[in-house]
Amino acid sequence: CGEEFLEITPQGSINTESFYKTEEEVEQALIATYDVLGHQKGVGLPYAPVILVSDILSDDAYAGGQDAGDGFDENELNTFNIPTGNQIVRSLWKRNYWGIYRANFTLEKLAELENASEAFRTRIEAEAKFLRAYFHFELVSLFENVPVMTFAPKGIEASITPQSTPTETYNQIASDLVDAIAGLPTSVTGSELGRATTWAAKSLLGRVFLFRDGVYNQNMEANGTTIDAAYVLAELEDVINNSGHDLLPDYATVFSNAGEFSIESVFEISYSDDPPRWEWGNEERVEGNLAAQMMGPRALQENTHYRGWAFGTVSHKLYQDMTGDPRRDLTVLHESNIGGTVNKTFQHTGYYSNKYSTDLESQGTSGQLEHNNTTNERIIRFSDVLLMAAELSQNVNYINRVRQRVGLSDLTGYTDDALFNERRMELSLEGLRYFDLMRQGLSVAENELTVQGIRGPEYVDEQALYDVTFNPATKGFLPIPQDEIDLSNGVLTQNEGY
Amino acid sequence: QERTVSGTVTDQNGESLPGVTIREVTTTNGVITDIDGKYILTVSSADAVLGFSFIGFASQEIVVGDRTTIDVSLSEAVGELEEVVVIGYGTQKKKVVTGAIESVSSDEISSTPIVRVDQALQGRAAGVNLTNSSGQPGEQPNIIIRGIGTNGNAQPLFLVDGIAVQSIDNLNPADIESMEVLKDASSTAIYGTRAANGIVLITTKKGQRGGVNVTYSGYKGIQSVSKKVDMLNAQQYQTLMAEAGVLNLAREPFDPNEIPANDTDWQEELFTNNAPIESHSISISGGSEKSTFLSSVSYFNQEGIIGGDKSKFERYTARLNTQSEVNAWLSWGNNFNFSNVKTRGVNSNGSFNGAYNSALNMDPLTAVFENDPSVLTDPTDDYAGNPVVTDSRGNVYAISNNIGQEIVNPLARLEILNFRFNKDQFVGNVYAKVEPIEGLSFKSDFGMDLSYLKFDDYTDLYFLSSTTNNLNNTNLSKQFIRSLTLQVENTVSYTRKIDDHNFNVLLGTSAVKNDSELLSGFGEGVTVTNPDLRYLSLAIDSLERTSGAAWQNRLSSVFTRLMYDYKEKYSATLTYRKDGSSQFGPNNRYGNFMSFGASWFISDEAFFPQWDEITFVKLRGGWGVNGNDKISPFAYVSTIDFDINYSFGGGATRGAIPTNIQNENIQWEESQQLNFGLDAGLFSNRLTATFDYYNKTTKKLLLVPSSIPASAGLNPSFNNVGEVENKGVEMSLEWRDRKGDFNYSIGVNAAYNKNTMTQIDGEGSFLTGSSWALAGEVTRTFQGNPIYTFFGYKTDGIFQSQADVFSHISSDGTPIQPSAQPGDIRFVDVNGDGRITADDRTIIGSPNPDWVVGSTINVGYKNFDLSILLNGLLGQDIFNGINRPDLPASNKQSWILDRWTESNPSTTVPRFVANDVNGNYTRPTDLVNIKDGSFIRMKNIQIGYNFPGSVLERFKCTSWRLYISAENLFTFTSYDGPDPEVGARVFDGNPVLSDRGIDRGIYPQARTFRIGTSITF
């Protein structure tokens, strides 16, 4: 037989080298990057929705799960006894590096693309950089010492990259966001809802800066420009004044279906039952919101809620702290408000999240029940933008705007305490609390996160299971996943405290 | 006209042989020699041919002619050296074979109730480690020849009548004439890139000249479990859980004083007693002077000891083999086999949805059924309003109040399984052979393997527990795969004898192409729930999905071989093959393979001492290179994954990203092997012995790394990752003798192998293995150690006191396990950092046996025969992972009763507490999980009776045998799990090597009792 007998090419699949030759095809690489936003786990690893994990780390929620085994890995995080081999930690790490890879891959394919319009280039590049910054920020805020990746490695060896200093990482994030701000559109509508806007990038820059400033007390640098408080405040005020975003009139609407992609959403991660999914095992391909499924109560009858898994049971501390605030019952779901019977589970507190849950409105219409929850994640809300601006400007009016919406009286003067209290009332169970504590300093964090002897009336398990001691030696960061250290052959090094 | 012939049959020393069968060939006419070796037989004519046959002796055929007295001297096993063995693309006299080849005969293949012919290798062939993946009918076994030389697929290449086949479960064992296992590189190199893991040549039976024979053989049997695991009963369970502070699902403690309402032995409930197995095969064979045929049909059915017909294997086969001599120089033939295989299966070794795993972990307090109407209708309980699972009589399977997650009522779990597999397969070849002059032959062989595979599944609504349920919608899925392999081979062979020099030259070309296509469909909302009426047209919801895929590969080869011998005393074999394979990219498409082998029949030398005790001695040696290309097609290219979606405001938007990392430079695994062997016969060949030593190095191992740095951003693809070495010795000894009516043989084979991963390429220092429950990886490969050793925490006993805890200190004097309590495990701080972390995990055992052993014993007395087959593995460990330690309320093996308490300072069983902070049971350890897995098993014992001539005469048959047999009657082992034969799980037709020896509650081998017969007319 001649050579041609062996010359066969894959049928039924398309070779990467012959793809990404048109604008539409390169845009598909960008869509794949957005897709990772919706991944709530790393491929082949356990579920790790960052909203749930960070709330479990915080004083607002416990591990939960059906029993101690179900919530085993979560409880290691909850109690800060985090072995370096914890697979949730690795899952968080992997999700974000996959996102970064795809962003870089998009940028590289865009650069190779001939015959693309300038407008297309500008926008795709800006979106890819926005997403790259988003994933890097999630990494640096969880792990601190992470490799910055600005290229799509070809192969395993090329992917092994030493850790950058936090300064390098924050500067890269700032540079990407400043570039994104310049190139992103000012509005998206219809089938583009959910794609990044310049307002989303400005607001994200605010969040990044506040964390950088709070934890390190340092500015950032973007392509030679210093990103300081004034720079960021100007960007946030631009969002407040010019974006068209505003608060919804009714707080209760924010987390209902009507609140999705609303005027209040500056950036949102989209979940849906389209296309519906059935299979277990590749849940990163699922379009539904696993965090909502995980945090939902184990309701036996589907009167108000369908069956969730009761992870991240909400603490009595949060319930108590929100006493008197009109937002409490919209934030914390008390078991008495769930129709029918609720299975008591590990670390049963009687409280669940009311923001991300298995309420019937969010149930998918097709596919495996657990994989098709349609609740979007409100990543940056306009109220958060107001509170960030308040924090930077020390202008109490921004806080009052948030308070007025829920019918609370105005505060007369700005204090950090009032600001952080307002953030807790407004933004609890949205995955921000833990980072808000970290940026207030380790002593504040230790004080709040170490919870001993606090017990709610509906708590079921022994007290010891609700006691948590923060480990300040880690500065609140997670361990670099042991497997990643091993796979890097020691190029990666472990964080302090582990 | 008829005439009477008489005579005496003796052995070569002149001693008379009683019991020799003498048959007029092609007729049913026959007789057996008497105690003095004498016989008298009336034959039909002077043309009659007498066939003399006797166990342990070479058969002879003699034309009667004018003679009335025919005395015959049968020669003993030296004749064995005259036998011809099948080698690649030909045959060779055993005396001049240079390689290491094991033969398994048709009698051996049909003596045990095997589903697949490869299972006949177990215990019989030295150096072949055949471990069943589980006891599930039809599950592909793990076959490892001479140690693991790959990280990927270590299965040998099977060739049936010269056609490379992907699976052999389509063959009727009764159709097989012989199986030859080619072990060393000098004999396998002729198969080049597919040969590195050994070759199994399967030859099917052909018709014989003269007359027509009809043979029926069949058996029926019953199977049961041979051993159950000793688990806690209800009272013990309740007491232990209460003591440990474990909570039930309602988050309440267990009450140790309550009288348990139920005491369910879930294993008793799960196992099917007397599961049926049966096999029937009829063959008609015969032929004329010019042409022979064999035609057969068979039926085989086996139900499992778990799940009955939910775990079964059923097969029909039909075969037609013909051979014709068209004229003096042209012959033509074919071998055709059609088969239909239907299987159903349960998860045979799973932590999360294993059928047996649930039974072992389920609490004994829960009843099998919940019959109480008040419970069933209680709206606050699990039953009301949920699609609970019932048995065929409508009894509701109980749901545990004590344990959840995937541990559910095992009978209910079986009830919801609807998976079915069906395969229609045609394998055949047609060949023509031309011999224009003596010694020269051209052969063209056209082969094909066409299979249609159908996978059928249906998911009903069910509620097994609050985590294991399907409440949304029914769905069904179907998949069809059509796979067609075509093979064309042309060979030229020239044989010449010049004085005492014998030559054979072979030249050949081979081309193989495989094309496969998958079509699958999925639908929701099924209107009919009858399991036999599930078609996609009955899934009526608007949402339907179809999908497809295609694979191809091509192999194009040229090869040559030179065989030479001088007086059959010195012989040599040289082979060369060049393979081109589409499995690899243009950079590494072609591979060259060669080998050299030689043998020396040293006892034919004049200088060799002429001792009576030594009948013969032969030395062999060989070296060769071959390869392994068993990876998925197109691994060298990167393709696009379009199953990527993100829902923007307008709904799903499709993305596209490479499926995996591109590695265009992947190439063959290359194996080099050196072999030295010795064959000897002693005491007139009553004792025969074979010894082999080999050293095999495999480079450029092909593997999809299961774990790569996340920053690579994509799934891994195949990579050449390192080098492994296997060194070992093999020996087989057989003693056979007879005394009058009594004859017997005892054979023993044993193989020792040492496996070392000598090099791991790339950045990582280890290869990731398989995981267990929630504990993560429990096997890994480290350089300098065997492939896939068990990986976990080393222990150093159990803390007996608080003082003990504080004396376990690091180099700077601080306690290593400060929060440990008496009764907790003392872990070894392997890396010496003063703490116990994941970094302290190390090698804690090995699933690789030191010795693979087997023994066959055959005894014949008059018309009775007895045979025994033993097999065993020695020196390997098993990872006992049948318990789900992450679920404290899971039931436990009863050794936990010996747990450490203050009054029972146990040193081997740590304390058991709900809040296992120390990780006594959740961390994989050498103390709790690693067990000695050595075993010797009586695989088969069979007693048969051959009806005497008088009976045969009456029923007009030529032979008739009845037998009873038992399989897996005894197993000698210290392992406390259900079955020490713990193979790797099979994924995509490929046993996952890293999974070997991990027992997650493996579906055990059945103990079988059978009665069978075989009768020839």
Side-chain angles (χ1 to χ4, degrees), chain B residues 261-262 264 266 362 365-378 381-384 388-391 393-401 409 411-412:
Chain B
N262 304 294
T264 307
W266 287 105
M362 185 80 173
L365 297 176
T366 302
V368 176
F369 297 109
E370 179 58 66
N371 297 319
D372 184 346
S374 67
V375 174
L376 293 174
T377 55
D378 180 356
D381 211 320
D382 275 334
Y383 298 90
V388 291
V389 180
T390 61
D391 73 355
R393 297 198 187 93
N395 295 310
V396 176
Y397 285 113
I399 297 166
S400 177
N401 294 320
N409 189 320
L411 302 174

Side-chain angles (χ1 to χ4, degrees), chain B residues 140-161:
Chain B
Q140 183 181 0
N142 308 166
I143 306 176
I144 296 165
I145 297 176
R146 296 192 157 179
I148 297 174
T150 176
N151 304 63
N153 189 335
Q155 300 288 298
L157 175 70
F158 288 95
L159 293 129
V160 179
D161 293 321

